[in-house]
Amino acid sequence: RKEVEQDPGPFNVPEGATVAFNCTYSNSASQSFFWYRQDCRKEPKLLMSVYSSGNEDGRFTAQLNRASQYISLLIRDSKLSDSATYLCVNSGGSYIPTFGRGTSLIVHP
Amino acid sequence: DAGVIQSPRHEVTEMGQEVTLRCKPISGHDYLFWYRQTMMRGLELLIYFNNNVPIDDSGMPEDRFSAKMPNASFSTLKIQPSEPRDSAVYFCASSLANQPQHFGDGTRLSIL
């Protein structure tokens, strides 16, 4: 079983839609969680950290469910510019960060 | 603020040649990571350093790959001899412990 699993998509949604991604992890000792965004032919860039209490940044909301070992990312009012691949990352006590394969999002007019 | 700096941005070379990729981490970061990304395998961690010491190199594909970090501001990833299957984008990233990683622009490597 892969340590971090994501639905590769693509998720194809119209502008203005709300879309949610989940990411499951197998390492119960994971301590830190992040969502990254990667545009085509670019490097991954930090989108947001994921805290136990959940956190929100504008149209983006991230949540952590330790009992079920998954993190989620919700994007409201999707924009064309949100089209990208979204990668989840977790790291555990041994601090070996593990990236998921990413979920592709395509927002169309 | 200067981010992670990688060089070269692009490298095209013939198989059998030695390839050296370079990385300058963000000043003050004590973790440095080398990744390889391909369409087939996604983002793979090759090796990471903590305070210039290699901690885990289990992701290094084979003995043709080697990485060094002679000081806190410089690291290299070397492939010798290179093979066409090494073609990929190689990223370097740095961070503080349990903090988000910051990635360089990557080196796009093509082995002919």
Side-chain angles (χ1 to χ4, degrees):
Chain A
R1 179 186 172 187
K2 293 181 181 177
E3 291 189 37
V4 178
E5 295 200 48
Q6 295 183 252
D7 181 343
F11 284 65
N12 204 321
V13 303
E15 273 187 289
T18 295
V19 62
F21 312 133
N22 278 348
C23 169
T24 59
Y25 61 93
S26 59
N27 183 356
S28 59
S30 297
Q31 298 173 352
S32 304
F33 305 86
F34 310 100
W35 281 103
Y36 280 73
R37 170 194 170 124
Q38 186 172 24
D39 293 288
C40 186
R41 300 182 67 78
K42 297 285 189 179
E43 76 277 17
K45 291 184 178 179
L46 178 69
L47 178 65
M48 59 197 306
S49 302
V50 187
Y51 305 121
S52 296
S53 57
N55 53 309
E56 186 173 315
D57 182 4
R59 298 181 293 109
F60 298 82
T61 300
Q63 292 192 318
L64 167 64
N65 185 319
R66 284 194 181 274
S68 300
Q69 295 188 194
Y70 74 86
I71 63 174
S72 63
L73 178 67
L74 180 76
I75 305 175
R76 290 179 297 276
D77 188 23
S78 299
K79 312 292 185 189
L80 295 177
S81 58
D82 294 334
S83 299
T85 297
Y86 291 84
L87 304 163
C88 68
V89 188
N90 72 325
S91 61
S94 62
Y95 195 60
I96 300 178
T98 305
F99 278 81
R101 290 290 302 274
T103 296
S104 175
L105 173 65
I106 300 171
V107 182
H108 59 81
Chain B
D1 291 340
V4 175
I5 300 172
Q6 290 187 246
S7 64
R9 291 291 301 274
H10 303 272
E11 175 89 10
V12 180
T13 191
E14 294 184 344
M15 65 178 294
Q17 297 298 307
E18 178 178 290
V19 173
T20 299
L21 311 181
R22 297 172 177 81
C23 176
K24 176 179 169 57
I26 292 173
S27 178
H29 281 186
D30 51 0
Y31 282 85
L32 183 141
F33 307 84
W34 282 102
Y35 289 91
R36 177 173 69 176
Q37 188 173 39
T38 61
M39 287 292 291
M40 291 296 294
R41 302 173 70 90
L43 196 63
E44 301 175 276
L45 177 64
L46 300 178
I47 184 172
Y48 79 95
F49 297 81
N50 178 217
N51 292 322
N52 313 340
V53 176
I55 303 301
D56 189 328
D57 65 354
S58 58
M60 296 285 261
E62 48 196 274
D63 292 345
R64 298 185 297 107
F65 286 68
S66 62
K68 294 182 179 179
M69 192 166 184
N71 57 62
S73 59
F74 184 65
S75 177
T76 60
L77 178 67
K78 190 170 292 187
I79 309 173
Q80 167 63 20
S82 58
E83 297 183 4
R85 60 192 168 121
D86 302 330
S87 298
V89 181
Y90 290 80
F91 289 107
C92 176
S94 71
S95 77
L96 296 169
N98 286 325
Q99 294 300 306
Q101 296 169 67
H102 297 260
F103 284 76
D105 291 338
T107 295
R108 281 160 180 76
L109 177 64
S110 295
I111 308 297
L112 307 177

